[in-house]
């Protein structure tokens, strides 16, 4: 991971099932924090609020778009993800919205 990714809170995630993206077979993704501009362009937060206690759940109608942005892979690669990887990547992205940038560490 480069310095820019560390500053943006990059997180390495080892995939349970390899995927193909950009002509390469990938066994790991590095997710970076989305920028405010990217969040505004997507138009929705990647979560839904479950109750008055503020519990969150990933919003799977927009989460794949966040994976495209944060992992820098095409949607065709997102569609290859194992369901466990999709779930775990969603929670990693949610952590970018629930923790300040300075507290998100890379693996």
């Amino acid at each position: 991971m480069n310095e820019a990714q560390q500053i943006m809170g990059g997180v390495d995630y080892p995939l349970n099932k390899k995927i193909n993206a950009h002509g390469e077979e990938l066994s790991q993704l590095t997710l970076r924090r989305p920028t405010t501009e990217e969040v505004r362009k997507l138009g929705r937060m990647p979560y839904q609020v479950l109750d008055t206690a503020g519990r969150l759940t990933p919003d799977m109608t927009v989460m794949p778009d966040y994976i495209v942005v944060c992992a820098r892979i095409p949607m065709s690669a997102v569609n290859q993800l194992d369901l466990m990887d999709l779930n775990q990547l969603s929670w990693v992205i949610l952590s970018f919205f629930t923790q300040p940038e300075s507290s998100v560490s890379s693996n």
Side-chain angles (χ1 to χ4, degrees):
M1 179 178 345
N2 66 35
E3 185 177 329
Q5 289 170 316
Q6 290 173 342
I7 290 169
M8 299 217 32
V11 174
D12 291 332
Y13 177 82
L15 295 169
N16 291 293
K17 177 186 139 198
K18 293 178 182 179
I19 62 171
N20 291 302
H22 308 295
E24 295 180 50
E25 186 175 76
L26 303 177
S27 60
Q28 174 177 297
L29 295 177
T30 298
L31 285 94
R32 63 165 179 80
R33 293 174 67 89
T35 65
T36 300
E37 181 179 358
E38 290 167 334
V39 172
R40 290 181 60 230
K41 281 183 182 177
L42 289 171
R44 295 182 27 220
M45 293 297 202
Y47 56 82
Q48 297 175 350
V49 180
L50 288 178
D51 54 31
T52 57
R55 291 184 304 148
L56 304 177
T57 188
D59 182 345
M60 294 313 294
T61 63
V62 71
M63 186 58 74
D65 297 319
Y66 274 94
I67 294 171
V68 166
V69 168
C70 296
R72 294 168 310 283
I73 59 173
M75 187 60 72
S76 60
V78 173
N79 291 337
Q80 297 170 45
L81 290 170
D82 182 78
L83 292 177
M84 183 176 174
D85 291 327
L86 176 65
N87 180 53
Q88 293 300 313
L89 290 166
S90 297
W91 287 104
V92 170
I93 290 171
L94 275 182
S95 74
F96 295 145
F97 290 82
T98 59
Q99 299 174 30
E101 186 171 348
S102 60
S103 71
V104 177
S105 62
S106 61
N107 293 343

